[in-house]
Amino acid sequence: MPSISRRTFLQTAAASAAILPFARSANADPLGLPIGCQTWPVRQLIAKDFPGTLKQLSAAGFKSIELCSPVGYATMGFGGLQKYSGADLRKVINDAGLTTVSSHFSLDELRKDQPARIAWAKEVGLTQMLVASLGGPKNPTADDVKRAADEYNKIGERAHAAGITQGLHNEDFECSTVDGKRVYDMLFELLDPSYVKFQFQVSNIQYGFDAADYFTRYPGRFISMHAQGWSATQKKIVPIGQDSLDWKRIFTAAKTAGIQNYFVEMDLPLMQASVPYLKQLQV
């Protein structure tokens, strides 16, 4: 299976793109969870005007955001957020009518100074710290996977001791195989469920990773998901609700998985177009 990255297929809109507001709906959101979005697709806007971007996201109907670390993602549009203290950053987010409990961090920054990153996370009010990938070799061996899992178990144990849930996304390394077995599946066996949870990339259905199947097979192992619509006929990412996926099935299985939050993650027009469907979806 070829290695992939959400960075590869998530096309960002031009920095000048405007987010059109949607009217608030009285209907409950899926599972009663707030509609969230990952901030990676709006990184160019964040680099120019963080408070303004947050207000636009709130006006579009999002209620929560997932951050990317100003340290680990400094060269990718988030470095300017280092000017805020953790408490000030939380205030800017809350002032825009949003909440945040989750952020992505680079594995490298956790290796270098995890205590400092945990301290920052707690100041912001985060309860979840994620990494996109364990970053192993392109063609790993079983020993490579075990070494990566052993290291991440230690990272997860330290986070757990600090009251933080450590999570793992599924990107390049996790989507590779060893002797025909997915590394992702191997990690469910190697990572300690007491210390490490998982975050699922729904659009990986294009590579055979079915969200509802994983949620059902590994109950209690997930904390969140990145949500994208996927058209099986067009073979591309499309707005949620205008796609081929059975979202009622996905969210129903998410109850078993232990999903605590979800974040829409697509380019801006697609994120906007997904909000009305999510507002009316009853699960």
Side-chain angles (χ1 to χ4, degrees), residues 70-254:
V71 173
Y73 288 72
T75 62
M76 293 171 272
F78 295 90
L81 301 187
Q82 293 185 55
K83 68 183 180 182
Y84 297 101
S85 69
D88 287 341
L89 187 66
R90 178 171 56 184
K91 185 177 187 304
V92 173
I93 293 169
N94 293 160
D95 285 350
L98 298 165
T99 62
T100 185
V101 298
S102 182
S103 179
H104 271 238
F105 295 76
S106 72
L107 185 58
D108 186 57
E109 69 179 305
L110 298 183
R111 284 169 172 161
K112 288 179 177 177
D113 196 350
Q114 187 184 5
R117 305 316 297 141
I118 288 175
W120 176 83
K122 292 176 80 69
E123 189 178 359
V124 176
L126 304 181
T127 58
Q128 301 171 3
M129 297 175 68
L130 288 294
V131 298
S133 174
L134 298 185
K138 184 176 181 179
N139 298 300
T141 65
D143 286 341
D144 290 328
V145 179
K146 188 176 187 308
R147 277 193 294 270
D150 287 346
E151 178 188 32
Y152 205 56
N153 273 329
K154 292 174 183 175
I155 289 173
E157 185 174 8
R158 289 191 289 268
H160 178 76
I164 296 285
T165 300
Q166 193 69 42
L168 176 64
H169 196 57
N170 50 326
E171 288 203 9
D172 304 300
F173 177 64
E174 290 70 32
C175 296
S176 59
T177 61
V178 175
D179 297 328
K181 186 170 185 178
R182 287 174 177 167
V183 168
Y184 197 50
D185 292 343
M186 296 171 68
L187 290 171
F188 279 96
E189 300 170 4
L190 295 170
L191 291 172
D192 190 329
S194 298
Y195 301 138
V196 178
K197 299 296 183 181
F198 290 82
Q199 179 182 69
F200 196 85
Q201 180 85 356
V202 174
S203 60
N204 277 356
I205 185 68
Q206 62 188 298
Y207 303 105
F209 289 72
D210 182 272
D213 173 59
Y214 270 93
F215 292 164
T216 302
R217 279 198 288 141
Y218 298 104
R221 299 297 298 274
F222 290 87
I223 52 170
S224 64
M225 64 177 166
H226 282 178
Q228 302 90 12
W230 173 255
S231 171
T233 55
Q234 300 177 66
K235 303 297 182 185
K236 68 177 184 178
I237 291 175
V238 298
I240 295 170
Q242 300 176 33
D243 57 342
S244 306
L245 301 179
D246 184 343
W247 284 98
K248 183 163 287 191
R249 172 175 173 261
I250 291 172
F251 275 105
T252 298

Side-chain angles (χ1 to χ4, degrees), residues 38-95:
Q38 228 292 342
T39 51
W40 172 262
V42 293
R43 62 194 183 281
Q44 295 175 353
L45 295 175
I46 284 175
K48 293 185 175 183
D49 181 4
F50 180 55
T53 302
L54 295 180
K55 290 175 183 177
Q56 288 181 306
L57 292 174
S58 179
F62 293 105
K63 300 174 184 176
S64 69
I65 61 169
E66 183 177 56
L67 292 168
C68 291
S69 164
V71 173
Y73 288 72
T75 62
M76 293 171 272
F78 295 90
L81 301 187
Q82 293 185 55
K83 68 183 180 182
Y84 297 101
S85 69
D88 287 341
L89 187 66
R90 178 171 56 184
K91 185 177 187 304
V92 173
I93 293 169
N94 293 160
D95 285 350

